[in-house]
Amino acid sequence: MVFSNLFFIYLFLPLNLILYFVSKNKTWRNVVLLLFSLFFYAWGEPVWVFLLMITAFLDYLWARCIEYFKRSGNNFRAKVALAASLVFDLGMLGVFKYSGFVVENMNLLTGLSLPVPQIALPIGISFYTFQTISYVVDVYRGQVAAQKQYYKYLMYLSSYHQLVAGPIVRYSDVAAEIENRRTTARDMSEGITRFCVGLGKKVLVANVAGKLVTQYLDAPLDQLSVAGAWFGVLLYALQIYYDFSAYSDMAIGLGRMFGFHYRMNFNYPYISKSVTEFWRRWHISLSSFFRDYVYIPLGGNRRHQLLNIAVVWFLTGLWHGASWNFILWGVFYGGLLMIEKLGLLKILERLPSVLSRAYLLFLTLIGWTIFYTTDLGRLGDYFRVMFGLSGRPLIDPQLSITFANNLYWLLAALLFCLPLTQWLKQKVQAHQGEAAQAATVVLCALMNVTLLFVCTAMLVGDSYNPFLYFRF
């Protein structure tokens, strides 16, 4: 089940909201949200829902043990419980996500013919594994109290708002709201608006871009022009941004409807002036997880900074998938960040904004080419086409037709990569009168209805198009 699905929009979500708000009892509301979340996950993963429940139960127990041992002054046993939790969580992630990749490469290096495990990847395991790790580590650090009731911890971990594709919500950010929360009229209004905006991003931009992307990035290279190769990567850059930020917006909006306040996960990354800034704006919850649970514990900026960056970005690339192109993508960005740390960042800060932004966008397109192309041989050939080293023409007639047919859509997609909505919101908030506030409410309502109507019309009869980050 996906958020951009008519069943979810018109049946699952309304029914969940009705049953949730029909009672003022906090326990009832938590149970309703838990049951709907487990049903949501079991809709696509009827078997792996039990893995999710087992993971939650074991980490719930380990966190309780850690807290008990820390209070008793037995730090050794607390460390053993922490280690047991990490071994299990990372072990499960390794078995399901990387076992086939490891065996394939062992066979390649040694000439053996070991059977390659064919294990289906449980949806969202990369996200909920990081969430439960952050919880147990925070309990060990004394930054949050261990949850006393298992069903509440399971509700946090399985909450369908952010279960399968993030953002990575830390327990410490919602601990108080798990125990005591309420949904105000403003929460509901802003939650609905955020959800509808995310739905529009997904249906009107990401899905449209996705249909065009395959025409170029998967095209026979002997039929691709130089401009066509760059155009395909540009479309993919738009698709992955709008697709993933759409899911994050919808997750944040759903959370607001139920009284949760999740943190921003995307902050207009394509306006960045450096790679360093880009990764402060893109997938903020993942970047902050690696910063707080890997980079800083390794020494951060204090010692071995470049080595720490290399480790973090190797792991970041590997987290995205069991394929060498993801590792290469992580190494690519790790190398760029190290170069910026060594002095390039100071130069970029002195350059005119147009040049520093052009630098970032160029490198971002190179990065997305690596990210998309799992076949490294094809990746090299694709780069040769992009940089005019393959003898292919600069442009081709089909590209001209496609570009002309999608010009206005493309301009709108590029335009809304800029913080226009924030600018408009600031302008409106500058007028604090009742008339301005009433006009804002009416305009938001009209926008939501329009987006919902248009997206519904496009979703009727459309093919199944899941969010890109489901695969990670």
Side-chain angles (χ1 to χ4, degrees):
M1 195 187 305
V2 296
F3 297 158
S4 56
N5 176 279
L6 297 180
F7 175 81
F8 177 86
I9 296 170
Y10 290 106
L11 184 58
F12 182 91
L13 179 58
L15 183 60
N16 186 195
L17 288 169
I18 291 170
L19 292 177
Y20 181 86
F21 286 108
V22 76
S23 172
K24 300 298 183 182
N25 185 279
K26 298 173 185 177
T27 300
W28 165 260
R29 289 185 170 185
N30 284 334
V31 170
V32 167
L33 185 54
L34 170 60
L35 292 176
F36 270 81
S37 295
L38 294 177
F39 177 80
F40 179 91
Y41 192 78
W43 181 273
E45 298 284 2
V47 175
W48 299 128
V49 69
F50 296 106
L51 177 65
L52 171 65
M53 296 172 70
I54 291 170
T55 299
F57 181 69
L58 290 176
D59 283 322
Y60 160 78
L61 288 180
W62 277 315
R64 295 291 302 275
C65 291
I66 289 170
E67 187 174 66
Y68 174 78
F69 292 140
K70 295 282 280 188
R71 285 177 178 173
S72 303
N74 196 328
N75 288 329
F76 175 76
R77 289 189 177 182
K79 289 180 180 179
V80 170
L82 173 63
S85 173
L86 294 176
V87 168
F88 176 81
D89 292 332
L90 295 176
M92 287 297 98
L93 185 61
V95 168
F96 284 101
K97 194 166 184 176
Y98 303 107
S99 56
F101 178 68
V102 171
V103 174
E104 284 179 355
N105 283 279
M106 283 180 59
N107 289 341
L108 186 64
L109 291 172
T110 64
L112 298 174
S113 299
L114 300 174
V116 178
Q118 301 294 330
I119 306 175
L121 181 67
I123 293 175
I125 189 171
S126 297
F127 290 91
Y128 74 70
T129 297
F130 274 21
Q131 289 193 182
T132 197
I133 286 174
S134 69
Y135 164 70
V136 175
V137 172
D138 285 351
V139 170
Y140 176 81
R141 291 173 173 175
Q143 296 174 347
V144 66
Q147 174 57 248
K148 302 300 186 289
Q149 295 176 290
Y150 166 66
Y151 84 93
K152 289 183 179 179
Y153 181 68
L154 180 60
M155 183 202 69
Y156 151 73
L157 197 63
S158 66
S159 178
Y160 70 82
H161 313 148
Q162 39 74 37
L163 171 61
V164 295
I168 299 170
V169 177
R170 299 189 195 179
Y171 180 84
S172 57
D173 291 335
V174 295
E177 292 173 338
I178 290 173
E179 302 298 334
N180 186 22
R181 64 184 180 278
R182 66 187 187 95
T183 303
T184 64
R186 180 176 180 179
D187 283 330
M188 184 60 70
S189 174
E190 293 186 358
I192 291 172
T193 298
R194 193 72 176 260
F195 180 87
C196 290
V197 168
L199 181 65
K201 284 182 176 182
K202 170 63 176 170
V203 176
L204 304 180
V205 184
N207 284 4
V208 176
K211 293 174 181 177
L212 295 171
V213 163
T214 55
Q215 298 179 22
Y216 293 91
L217 294 186
D218 294 339
L221 296 181
D222 59 357
Q223 300 176 16
L224 199 62
S225 65
V226 174
W230 284 99
F231 185 63
V233 178
L234 174 63
L235 289 171
Y236 184 61
L238 291 173
Q239 181 195 9
I240 197 167
Y241 167 65
Y242 277 100
D243 190 281
F244 196 18
S245 68
Y247 189 95
S248 294
D249 284 340
M250 296 169 87
I252 292 169
L254 288 168
R256 288 292 294 273
M257 294 181 206
F258 291 90
F260 291 102
H261 295 76
Y262 303 144
R263 295 188 180 187
M264 178 186 294
N265 204 28
F266 285 85
N267 186 20
Y268 302 99
Y270 290 146
I271 68 170
S272 302
K273 300 177 184 178
S274 66
V275 173
T276 301
E277 182 185 357
F278 179 82
W279 283 105
R280 290 174 183 155
R281 293 174 174 270
W282 179 279
H283 202 345
I284 298 169
S285 62
L286 180 67
S287 300
S288 63
F289 177 91
F290 276 111
R291 179 197 65 208
D292 294 341
Y293 299 100
V294 181
Y295 181 71
I296 292 176
L298 286 175
N301 299 336
R302 302 185 307 277
R303 63 179 188 274
H304 311 304
Q305 183 183 24
L306 298 183
L307 177 61
N308 298 338
I309 292 174
V311 170
V312 164
W313 279 94
F314 173 82
L315 294 175
T316 301
L318 190 62
W319 179 87
H320 280 85
S323 177
W324 283 107
N325 71 298
F326 292 123
I327 295 174
L328 180 60
W329 175 80
V331 170
F332 171 75
Y333 271 113
L336 291 174
L337 287 166
M338 284 189 278
I339 292 171
E340 289 189 356
K341 292 290 184 184
L342 290 172
L344 180 59
L345 193 58
K346 294 181 180 179
I347 298 174
L348 292 171
E349 290 170 351
R350 292 196 294 267
L351 288 177
S353 295
V354 64
L355 294 180
S356 55
R357 289 195 169 105
Y359 151 87
L360 182 278
L361 291 174
F362 171 76
L363 291 177
T364 301
L365 293 181
I366 298 300
W368 289 136
T369 308
I370 299 171
F371 192 86
Y372 182 89
T373 313
T374 56
D375 183 339
L376 297 186
R378 178 180 171 84
L379 176 63
D381 292 336
Y382 197 92
F383 277 136
R384 280 190 279 274
V385 176
M386 287 178 71
F387 291 101
L389 303 176
S390 65
R392 298 298 303 153
L394 179 63
I395 198 168
D396 62 272
Q398 184 58 46
L399 172 63
S400 301
I401 295 171
T402 303
F403 185 80
N405 289 342
N406 295 278
L407 177 60
Y408 294 113
W409 168 86
L410 180 62
L411 289 175
L414 292 171
L415 193 62
F416 281 97
C417 288
L418 305 176
L420 292 179
T421 54
Q422 284 190 350
W423 180 79
L424 288 172
K425 187 176 181 180
Q426 290 172 356
K427 290 293 183 182
V428 170
Q429 289 177 342
H431 301 82
Q432 296 296 330
E434 292 184 3
Q437 293 180 357
T440 302
V441 172
V442 172
L443 287 174
C444 283
L446 288 174
M447 180 189 72
N448 293 341
V449 171
T450 302
L451 283 172
L452 192 59
F453 176 79
V454 173
C455 291
T456 299
M458 292 188 67
L459 286 171
V460 172
D462 197 9
S463 60
Y464 179 68
N465 191 4
F467 289 88
L468 291 177
Y469 263 67
F470 277 20
R471 72 188 65 172
F472 307 125

